[in-house]
Amino acid sequence: MNYQQCYDRSIADPAAFWADQAQEVAWYRKPTQILTHNPDGTDQWFADGQLNSCYLALDRQIELGRGEQAALVYDSPVTGVQQSFTYHQLRDEVARLAGLLQALGVRKGDGVIIYMPMVPQAAMAMLACARIGAVHSVVFGGFAANELALRIDDARPALLLTASCGLEFDRVIPYKPLVDRALALAKHRPARVLVWQRPQCEAELLPDRDLDWRAALAHAQPVEPVAVAAGDPLYIMYTSGTTGKPKGIVRENGGNAVALGFAMRHIYGMQPGDVWWGISDVGWVVGHSLIVYGPLMNGCTSVFYEGKPIRTPDAGVYWRIVEQYRVNALFCAPTAMRAIRKEDPEGHLLRRYDLSSLRQLFLAGEKLDSSTHQWLEAMTGKPVHDHWWQTETGWPVTAPCVGLPGSGARAGSSNRAVPGYAVRVLDEEGRVLGPGEQGSIVIALPLPPGCSQTLWGDHSRYLEAYLNTWPGYYHTGDGGYLDDEGFVYIMGRTDDVINVSGHRLSTGEMEDLVAQHPAVAECAVIGIQDPIKGQVPLALVVLKDGCEVTEQALQAELVARVREQIGALACFNKVQEVKRLPKTRSGKILRAVLRKLANGEACSAPSTIDDATILVEIEAVLEAHRG
Ligand code: AMP
């Protein structure tokens, strides 16, 4: 089947299309109910199917003869460790860890928080939860204690798994004090904290609560995978919404397995035995779909990297890894490639390595700018593809499907809709727009398998955030347009979410923190363009009358406050005092206008001279801050 036939069939008869794809999964009980529509607009895929995601990722691969193939290769330039786990070894480790979790009282359906750096034990922890039907929620190690506490209170975990430290270049970041602080802030208390001790910094353990991972594992018995329903949650992944409270995106076992099988084969063109490298962190959705579940469920070798694109030790490290492990395809965020380009613009380091195994590179997380695209293609001599997705969807919405003939790829676009996704562009009244017309990008329901159909413990927020704006459509929060051949162009968020180095952050959350400062009368945080990070936050601050604080002191205090409450990943270090902010007649700050100005987009002409003056002032400020 070529791309067009496949796509047309997926839209004309989604149930029949996905029933065929579901045949690729080794279910414990094959589903007969493929697609069930719920009255509230959500859908249920494979309702009566039963499976186990850990079984599919490990035991099943061993049954298929891949026991001695490398499942995970851990490469950590920050510690100097390189370690390979075969499917057999990984299954045995995971089965014992799953036994330990059970012995510690974790039951099917319980939440488990994993707050860990990129060590293989993080992947093992995810798979061990899946094995016993527990619901993991990995929290990115860069988040501060307060953010971890929010997630602990929302996920209400039975257990928390952590490591003694993470490593950033040559800096050791102790994790345990952060966990202790988070648990002091959180109302919910997990019964136990299991700590993976790393030699770079051993953590002190609290006698009644903390357990040494290695010591506890020594007594654990391996357990078999349990059958879970297709609709049972595999994991929760928190992502920034437009408020301070993160959204707990829920991924179901059944849809995830079917969708990732389709994605690995048809989008990424990966076959069992191929080597795949998802360059990300287990703390993000990419880490779930493209480091752990996607590659392993499809019999690939997954490269598991603990390091940076540069300075660990240099901008040639990605290419060293491609050569060393004979990587066939990789996923990466544009920001990483921009960092490499800055250090090695002529590709001197790149040319030291043999990239002949590499078939193509996939980039996502933010728009792939044409200059980086061209540079990367010229340097590697390989096809470079932009593709677009979200934590909510869990797998690409638009992408070149390299495994389907005729899908085509176009530079400058995030490419065409993947089979299963009916991508449309709507105007503000919900009318479908034609080619070239810019508006809100939506997906006509039903969403394909794998996409989140609820938020953890807050279904009404899911409906409100995604389905209620335009009945019959899923609201992506992104704006853009389609061309006359269906290629999609993403222009950026239409809400108060910004994308810093591919990390999604809520400007509303930062505004709350800035506004709490005693000198601040009002403020707006917006994302402005940055040559490496894509976007960085800028706080526009109006001071209270008579305030004595200097701009420098205010900046230092606000930066410290955001770092303490959200984490260093926010890259919050730009604060600008302004005399006033543009507002509606009713006094609301015109965030949409600020966003457009920040993106360099045209705004409708302001109605008064006063409004126009404010916008000119703000534009000058933005210009001064742009990288
Ligand atoms: P996250 O859920 O953190 O993966 O962030 C998803 C958001 O990142 C999307 O809604 C987009 O705003 C942005 N994004 C992801 N991939 C792309 C891309 N290829 N081009 C433009 N924006 C992207």
Side-chain angles (χ1 to χ4, degrees):
M1 232 192 310
N2 68 25
Y3 162 78
Q4 200 59 51
Q5 292 161 330
C6 190
Y7 182 78
D8 291 345
R9 183 153 184 264
S10 77
I11 302 302
D13 192 349
F17 179 83
W18 290 108
D20 284 354
Q21 297 304 324
Q23 300 290 338
E24 304 288 331
V25 169
W27 301 84
Y28 290 150
R29 186 165 131 199
K30 278 201 165 149
T32 58
Q33 293 163 254
I34 303 300
L35 175 59
T36 319
H37 299 297
N38 299 321
D40 63 8
T42 57
D43 291 289
Q44 161 94 64
W45 285 100
F46 316 118
D48 58 344
Q50 288 189 357
L51 74 166
N52 181 283
S53 297
C54 177
Y55 162 76
L56 296 175
L58 301 175
D59 309 66
R60 176 69 182 155
Q61 304 307 323
I62 296 169
E63 288 167 12
L64 292 171
R66 287 193 265 281
E68 299 318 308
Q69 179 193 316
L72 212 71
V73 285
Y74 170 53
D75 191 297
S76 170
V78 287
T79 58
V81 176
Q82 294 178 352
Q83 196 178 9
S84 174
F85 298 85
T86 64
Y87 272 98
H88 240 131
Q89 289 167 330
L90 192 60
R91 195 272 314 269
D92 292 350
E93 291 280 343
V94 167
R96 269 195 315 132
L97 182 57
L100 172 60
L101 300 189
Q102 259 183 2
L104 293 174
V106 181
R107 301 281 167 261
K108 189 171 169 178
D110 282 351
V112 172
I113 291 245
I114 300 172
Y115 183 70
M116 295 182 73
M118 281 295 284
V119 289
Q121 286 67 32
M124 291 170 191
M126 293 161 71
L127 291 159
C129 289
R131 198 167 185 85
I132 58 171
V135 186
H136 60 74
S137 181
V138 185
V139 178
F140 178 63
F143 277 119
N146 174 60
E147 292 288 329
L148 178 57
L150 283 174
R151 287 154 175 79
I152 292 171
D153 278 339
D154 197 76
R156 308 185 59 74
L159 192 74
L160 192 150
L161 285 83
T162 190
S164 56
C165 65
L167 298 155
E168 283 268 321
F169 302 108
D170 46 7
R171 223 158 44 95
V172 175
I173 299 159
Y175 274 27
K176 201 25 199 11
L178 283 163
V179 169
D180 291 340
R181 217 173 314 140
L183 286 172
L185 289 169
K187 289 184 201 68
H188 176 82
R189 297 263 176 283
R192 293 282 192 177
V193 176
L194 196 58
V195 184
W196 180 258
Q197 295 279 22
R198 305 188 78 185
Q200 293 77 13
C201 161
E202 297 245 331
E204 262 186 53
L205 304 185
L206 290 183
D208 295 329
R209 192 197 67 189
D210 303 342
L211 287 170
D212 179 89
W213 186 312
R214 281 187 193 79
L217 198 61
H219 308 290
Q221 295 302 316
V223 292
E224 292 298 314
V226 302
V228 301
D232 282 344
L234 168 64
Y235 68 81
I236 312 165
M237 177 82 244
Y238 287 94
T239 188
S240 296
T242 48
T243 67
K245 189 172 185 279
K247 292 173 177 163
I249 304 296
V250 175
R251 187 89 50 228
E252 296 174 359
N253 279 276
N256 185 60
V258 175
L260 293 183
F262 184 85
M264 291 308 290
R265 287 190 298 278
H266 298 305
I267 298 176
Y268 299 111
M270 299 306 285
Q271 300 297 324
D274 280 346
V275 181
W276 167 262
W277 187 15
I279 313 178
S280 182
D281 187 286
V282 286
W284 306 117
V285 67
V286 179
H288 291 57
S289 299
L290 295 186
I291 296 179
V292 179
Y293 293 110
L296 298 181
M297 282 176 170
N298 293 285
C300 299
T301 295
S302 180
V303 178
F304 194 95
Y305 176 62
E306 185 183 27
K308 300 280 181 190
I310 54 169
R311 291 174 52 209
T312 60
D314 59 32
V317 63
Y318 277 16
W319 318 122
R320 189 268 292 166
I321 288 186
V322 169
E323 176 186 289
Q324 185 168 340
Y325 302 107
R326 310 289 304 149
V327 171
N328 298 120
L330 62 80
F331 171 103
C332 176
T335 183
M337 290 302 176
R338 287 196 294 265
I340 291 174
R341 178 188 183 179
K342 188 160 177 264
E343 305 257 309
D344 187 27
E346 308 298 330
H348 296 304
L349 291 168
L350 177 141
R351 272 191 290 280
R352 288 190 196 157
Y353 299 98
D354 170 11
L355 307 185
S356 60
S357 60
L358 195 61
R359 299 195 286 256
Q360 50 239 326
L361 301 90
F362 292 88
L363 279 85
E366 54 171 311
K367 192 170 171 53
L368 173 59
D369 59 283
S370 57
S371 157
T372 307
H373 192 158
Q374 282 161 12
W375 174 83
L376 193 53
E377 233 161 28
M379 287 296 142
T380 59
K382 313 283 174 180
V384 172
H385 302 302
D386 189 6
H387 66 320
W388 168 65
W389 46 304
Q390 311 182 299
T391 305
E392 287 84 343
T393 65
W395 65 291
V397 183
T398 68
C401 294
V402 304
L404 293 173
S407 107
R410 188 165 287 177
S413 156
S414 317
N415 295 298
R416 285 199 275 201
V418 166
Y421 290 100
V423 176
R424 306 274 180 270
V425 180
L426 303 184
D427 71 8
E428 279 170 17
E429 273 75 51
R431 285 182 297 247
V432 176
L433 294 172
E437 294 182 299
Q438 197 168 322
S440 294
I441 304 189
V442 297
I443 302 164
L445 301 178
L447 290 169
C451 297
S452 179
Q453 298 280 345
T454 193
L455 295 179
W456 185 252
D458 202 349
H459 190 62
S460 57
R461 188 175 178 201
Y462 176 88
L463 299 176
E464 195 50 44
Y466 302 110
L467 300 192
N468 288 354
T469 318
W470 293 293
Y473 296 102
Y474 164 86
H475 177 204
T476 67
D478 283 325
Y481 65 95
L482 272 73
D483 70 13
D484 50 10
E485 289 176 70
F487 284 85
V488 176
Y489 297 78
I490 306 289
M491 306 307 290
R493 298 289 302 189
T494 56
D495 57 13
D496 296 323
V497 170
I498 60 168
N499 203 312
V500 180
S501 298
H503 300 160
R504 185 164 141 181
L505 297 163
S506 156
T507 52
E509 189 178 8
M510 290 185 239
E511 271 171 26
D512 283 350
L513 293 172
V514 173
Q516 283 165 22
H517 191 284
V520 172
E522 57 184 4
C523 71
V525 175
I526 53 176
I528 57 164
Q529 287 150 17
D530 180 89
I532 300 291
K533 297 187 169 78
Q535 280 185 305
V536 289
L538 165 69
L540 302 172
V541 178
V542 180
L543 292 186
K544 286 182 186 157
D545 284 347
C547 248
E548 294 287 290
V549 66
T550 66
E551 201 165 349
Q552 227 177 2
L554 178 72
Q555 163 142 347
E557 284 166 32
L558 292 176
V559 168
R561 192 176 279 236
V562 174
R563 204 184 169 91
E564 163 74 25
Q565 296 290 317
I566 297 179
L569 83 169
C571 295
F572 179 93
N573 53 30
K574 287 178 187 281
V575 177
Q576 172 73 48
E577 191 191 325
V578 290
K579 289 202 185 60
R580 51 215 174 137
L581 289 165
K583 297 217 182 129
T584 61
R585 292 282 158 264
S586 60
K588 281 207 193 92
I589 296 173
L590 282 166
R591 279 161 219 284
V593 169
L594 288 174
R595 212 167 35 236
K596 280 190 178 157
L597 283 182
N599 290 339
E601 289 172 39
C603 303
S604 47
S607 49
T608 66
I609 293 174
D610 197 31
D611 285 348
T613 326
I614 297 177
L615 294 190
V616 169
E617 282 168 17
I618 301 274
E619 246 182 322
V621 163
L622 293 176
E623 200 43 54
H625 278 278
R626 268 190 202 118

